[in-house]
Amino acid sequence: MAEQTPMMKQYLEIKAQHADAFLFFRLGDFYELFHEDAIKAAQELEITLTGRGKGDERIPMCGVPHHSAEQYMVRLIEKGYKIAICEQVEDPAVAKGVVKREVVRILTPGTVVDKRMIQEKENNFITSITDFADGTIGFIRTDLSTGENEVTLLNDDVQEIIQELTSSRSKELVVDPQFAEEKLAQIKQAIHVTVSYEENADIISDYVTLTEPLEQKKLQTTFWRMCQYLVRTQKRALNHLQPVVYYPANSYLKIDRHSKRNLELTETLRDKKKQGSLIGVIDQTVTAMGGRMLKKWVEQPLIQQEVIEERLNIVENFSSFYFEREELRDELKEVYDLERLVGRIAYGNVNARELLQLKRSLEKLPAVKSILEKMSKNYSERWFSQSTSYEPLIALLDKSLVEDPPISVKEGGLIKAGFHEELDTYRDASVNGKRWIAELEQKERQLTGIKTLKVGYNKVFGYFIEVTRANVQLLPEGRYERKQTLTNAERYITPELKEKEAIILGAEEKMEQLEYELFLTIRDEAKKYVVSIQELAKSISEIDVLIGFATVAENNRYTKPHFSTENKVNIVGGRHPVVESVIPKGDYVANDVQMQAEREMLLITGPNMAGKSTYMRQLALIVVMAQIGSYVPAEAVELPIFDQIFTRIGAADDLASGQSTFMVEMLETQYALTKASQNSLILLDEIGRGTSTYDGIALAQSIIEYIHDEVKAKTLFSTHYHELTSLEESLDHLKNVHVSATEEDGHVVFLHKVIDGQADRSYGIYVAELAKMPTAVTSRAEELLFQLEQGMKQMPVAASTPFVETVKEEVAVAKEEPTQLSLFPEPAVEIKKEESLTKAEKQLMKKIKEVDVLHLTPFEAMQKVYEWQKSLK
Ligand code: ADP
Ligand code: MG
């Protein structure tokens, strides 16, 4: 192999330290990527792959201009990659040999704070887990844009880790390189998360105060790993990190990720839109911070009754103050994203505009407080107990920054006149100089008689006097000094002009420098308020969410839910918040739900499209809403506090996930059956549809029985298998309900009304008719249905019949062979048409038909079978 160039050597050395990231290597005006990085980046970014060097030594290379590099970085980060940005850290003009280069920052999906890469109303959490010898796992999530740090302990259970990662919507997970590989593989298989490694979990003295609130060493260690990683990748002080708070992981209503998806809590199943999800309906927040907090609440509803009721009581109080509420919303609308603003202040990338946003937000505080005080005397205490006064900061920002400062903080134009004496002097010099130049143009035009003479400026030559070629001969000899010749004009200077130029440019340069320095002192002043503003931001978010709840409650006629200690569900006139919002007003058919004692489980039958799935989801959504402290769509609601919600959709219905296999359905049901407790809510929607009818029914029945006898959770089970309705007789806590439909003029009309008792028929064929299926198909189907129904009457479906027992055994056997996807293959009986039977077979058939079974002893039966077999050999 040929000798490496010194630059390539440097590249390879740096790359070796950043193997898991794209190395953006600064070369002049470009960031270049080499080798594998280049090949992969060219593919991902659809840019041209070129090469460096010749012949065999040619290495793959691709590059992006430094000024437009960000857009490419954004795309790679969105795809879950990491990027190490390597800059030239000395001036190439003075460098001896290869210019010194260093990685100045590592961008990763979990640590980006760029507005283009993160969602306004969503936290961007990076997470880290640390496993301890005692079988516990420390879990931390940090949002670098807001500085939040939340830590908890989990059991050493991959599902629990996945659950926590999902509810944190983590994009990146930091682990010790020693972390168990197979566990990591399971996590990666379950969710899209970029994995990063950090070996070091040592204390960093600069951040020690952040861990003071933590009592446990394990929680601290968990934080330190995260902190080490952040410091290593960000390469700057992280002053805005907030003290680490402990959150108890299982103090929330647990909803596993499939159920969250199914229930469309924060986004729709199909196109992942907020519109059409629960949050799409109930988000009436007016600040980005409030939006983020609401999302967190929906991801993690509460289980502590007092805390839920505290929220509900505030909503109730807010509900009775219409005008104050609207006033408050108007004020809050003008509050910017305080959390992210202070994040930028601490991070050192805040600009003057954003400092003014901070000022305007803080100026809203007195009004916000006084409106709240009108509603309750307690609110100041609850939300604004801190002693910090923001007046000095507001005053400073007010007198220092101009109304409409530029985005850049290094090019001057930020600081108000009168704020700083020296700055004013420079400014005067510059202004006077410019005035002198403006007057020069007038003066010279008069003196030379050249009307088109003008004074101009460019970066290379500075100020000049320009005379068009046609007029050059009018100039008195030696009046100006010639500087530059253009095609149509000559440019000149005079010593006096250059003198003024020096004053102006000198003053401007000093001004820019001084303005920047002043800006930094202002920013540092603001930095002192970071911690208290973060606290303030929390209060504002909470107020915003709760005001939003009151607003939604009023707009959509929601009611306050109550929690009973009797473990009963009693919903009067419940509605599905999302479905109700998309159909014409008043069209939604409200339904009651009663679950208690002899109706702990409801078996829901009814035709397709009747509203079974809607009814089930409606209950789950009401539960979630109630447990985040929101009013609910119903007339009256009494609920227990649920600990977990499970929803499973039958494979045939679960098209959106793209993995509509029966195996997945079974795995998910298994999860519900093993994890649910007596205080859980289980929704099983058409389970068993993914297989043939008999297995489907058998399986559905045994699942129902298992929940009934063993799990005892409140359960809604929808099915189109009418055979299952007979279970009501054998199971004490199960009740049949059905969604009614009637026929009018031979067409089915869905009433969407859920009432006790079983549905009389399936109406599937009517739905086919509604769908304009050819009449030949539907009438033939009716014929077949009739025949099938006759046959079905002999199907054994009562509890614990031998048939079901056999199926259970089959299930047990099949479970030991996980690769076998179809758990219940159809029996491979070959049924021949009568014409094609042999003579012996025909005779045999005749004999079988003639046997009088009731008058046969077992021995005679055996003998007959023996003879029959012989006749076939
Ligand atoms: P099923 O699960 O019984 O096949 P769905 O619950 O999917 O039926 O409901 C089918 C459609 O009927 C829904 O998309 C909705 O538009 C409408 N629907 C369901 N329940 C109601 C209701 N209570 N009031 C009004 N429309 C309803
Ligand atoms: Mg359905």
Side-chain angles (χ1 to χ4, degrees), residues 613 653 685-686:
S613 302
D653 255 14
D685 194 350
E686 310 246 8

Side-chain angles (χ1 to χ4, degrees), residues 436-455 465-467 475-476 479-480 494 496-497:
W436 183 88
I437 286 175
E439 284 165 5
L440 178 72
E441 195 173 78
Q442 282 310 311
K443 203 173 75 192
E444 292 300 309
R445 279 183 188 175
Q446 269 172 10
L447 289 177
T448 58
I450 305 172
K451 292 226 165 50
T452 55
L453 177 146
K454 64 178 187 201
V455 177
I465 298 167
E466 188 174 293
V467 176
L475 276 185
R479 182 167 184 86
Y480 309 134
T494 71
E496 226 187 343
L497 182 59

Side-chain angles (χ1 to χ4, degrees), residues 574-576 579-580 582-583 587-591 604-618 653 685-686 689 718 739 750-754:
R575 284 123 47 203
H576 188 299
V579 174
E580 139 176 279
V582 297
I583 63 177
D587 279 6
Y588 194 85
V589 180
N591 274 307
I604 311 167
T605 45
N608 254 318
M609 290 296 287
K612 299 184 294 299
S613 302
T614 310
Y615 182 71
M616 299 172 83
R617 280 165 182 64
Q618 171 181 316
D653 255 14
D685 194 350
E686 310 246 8
R689 260 179 87 168
S718 81
V739 197
F750 300 122
L751 301 176
H752 302 309
K753 195 75 193 167
V754 179

